[in-house]
């Protein structure tokens, strides 16, 4: 029984990894006869897995789409959430899980009903992952129905209307030509051409309400950036920041670029010296990042960063004193 169960599980794994398997090849993979293979297929069907058979010389088997995921039954929102989570892992959000996530995502999408598969494929097609080290973003609640509605409009090049609230609390109707979705940290952004303002805009999905496709299709316009992720990053870094950090580091520019160049400007000053420039709302992250470089440096600006590092230095020094020595020294 144990061998039969293990073989059945192996058969299911093979069926989920390929769209179609010739019968002879599948039998050879499992090391069984054609008759035993037919029995194993029947066993899967009894368990609720929809396996289709093609007869003839080139006959074979495939796992059909259009059924729930037996024995696991999930609803529409859970299916979309599962696919989005696997896609995030496949994009490298979780180190070491990318390859397994790609395989799992393919299996999940393959057996989804057509209506769910369409929603998930739309999300996968029009979403651009944009890694941004050091910036996790805040928690942002997004309606999954709104997310998939926007994704479908992007994929189908269909004009989209929605209500949008700005950071200062104002709200208004927008009429757009949606281009792509971008996931940056924990937030989602829509890159679209605003027909009212006649310009490209970035919209946060947690501020977007009641997206409604209009049924009117459009010819995509050229995006004024290398890609949608770059357009979003450029827009965010162009916003006013509280601090402009400038630091001189005693290390080659190439070395520093490899470590923090994805979110800071690094300029060569000399062969073994460079300038680090960044814009930030908080000085905590720059202080940690610069301190982790393990090189000598000099803070040029702002003075608040110098004060913060001095305070941290005093605290670290106090914490580094072994227990009892600080009291005996006093």
């Amino acid at each position: 029984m144990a061998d039969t169960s293990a073989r059945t599980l192996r058969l299911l794994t093979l069926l989920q990894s390929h769209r179609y398997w010739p019968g002879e090849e599948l039998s050879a993979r499992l090391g069984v006869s054609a008759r035993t293979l037919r029995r194993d297929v029947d066993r899967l069907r009894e368990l609720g897995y929809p396996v289709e058979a093609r007869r003839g010389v080139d006959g074979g088997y495939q796992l059909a789409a259009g059924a729930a995921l037996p024995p696991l039954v999930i609803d529409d929102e859970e299916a979309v959430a599962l696919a989005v989570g696997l896609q995030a892992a496949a994009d490298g959000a979780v180190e070491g899980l990318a390859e397994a996530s790609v395989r799992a995502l393919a299996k999940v999408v393959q057996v989804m009903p057509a209506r769910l598969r369409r929603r998930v494929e739309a999300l996968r097609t029009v979403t651009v992952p944009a890694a941004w080290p050091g910036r996790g973003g805040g928690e942002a609640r997004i309606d999954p129905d709104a997310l998939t509605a926007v994704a479908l409009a992007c994929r189908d090049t269909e004009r989209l209307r929605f209500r949008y609230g700005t950071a200062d609390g104002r709200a208004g109707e927008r009429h757009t030509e949606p281009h792509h979705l971008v996931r940056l940290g924990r937030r989602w952004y829509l890159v679209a051409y605003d027909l009212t303002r006649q310009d490209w805009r970035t919209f946060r999905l947690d501020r977007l309400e009641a997206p409604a496709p209009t049924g009117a299709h459009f010819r995509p316009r050229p995006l004024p950036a290398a890609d949608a992720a770059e357009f979003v990053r450029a827009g965010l870094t162009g916003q006013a920041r509280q601090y402009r950090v400038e630091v001189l580091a005693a290390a080659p520019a190439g070395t520093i670029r490899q470590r923090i160049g994805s979110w800071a400007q690094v300029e060569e000053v000399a062969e073994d010296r460079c300038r680090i420039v960044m814009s930030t709302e908080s000085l905590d992250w720059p202080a940690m990042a610069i301190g982790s470089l393990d090189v000598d440096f000099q803070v040029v600006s702002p003075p608040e960063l110098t004060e913060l590092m001095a305070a941290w230095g005093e605290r670290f020094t106090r914490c580094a004193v072994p227990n009892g020595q600080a009291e005996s020294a006093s």
Side-chain angles (χ1 to χ4, degrees), residues 227-290:
D227 56 38
E230 181 61 32
F231 182 81
V232 173
R233 279 194 294 259
L236 294 178
T237 55
Q239 297 174 359
R241 295 291 189 241
Q242 186 175 356
Y243 300 105
R244 180 184 184 275
V245 172
E246 182 178 349
V247 175
L248 294 175
T255 300
I256 302 303
R257 286 195 189 99
Q258 290 179 353
R259 299 181 183 179
I260 61 173
S262 59
W263 54 274
Q265 295 179 354
V266 182
E267 306 169 1
E268 183 176 359
V269 176
E271 186 176 346
D272 59 349
R273 194 171 178 81
C274 66
R275 177 181 291 104
I276 303 171
V277 178
M278 38 182 128
S279 298
T280 179
E281 298 173 344
S282 170
L283 294 175
D284 290 345
W285 174 252
M288 288 187 290
I290 294 168

Side-chain angles (χ1 to χ4, degrees), residues 28-140:
R29 284 292 190 101
L30 295 171
V32 299
S33 65
R35 183 177 181 180
T36 301
L37 175 60
R38 287 194 295 271
R39 290 177 178 174
D40 289 344
V41 168
D42 288 339
R43 187 174 294 108
L44 282 180
R45 289 168 175 162
E46 291 172 359
L47 293 173
Y49 290 91
V51 182
E52 294 181 346
R54 181 188 302 172
R55 300 185 182 279
V57 178
D58 59 344
Y61 300 92
Q62 69 180 29
L63 192 63
L69 297 173
L72 175 64
V73 179
I74 57 178
D75 61 27
D76 291 13
E77 288 190 2
E78 289 171 342
V80 173
L82 177 61
V84 170
L86 287 172
Q87 183 67 55
D91 290 335
V94 182
E95 186 176 359
L97 294 183
E99 184 179 350
S101 298
V102 170
R103 295 197 305 268
L105 182 61
K107 293 176 182 178
V108 169
V109 173
Q110 181 177 330
V111 296
M112 280 183 173
R115 57 186 175 79
L116 283 185
R117 194 164 61 252
R118 181 172 178 266
R119 296 174 67 186
V120 172
E121 288 292 352
L123 279 171
R124 296 172 61 192
T125 301
V126 304
T127 299
V128 179
W132 196 331
R135 292 179 60 89
E139 294 288 349

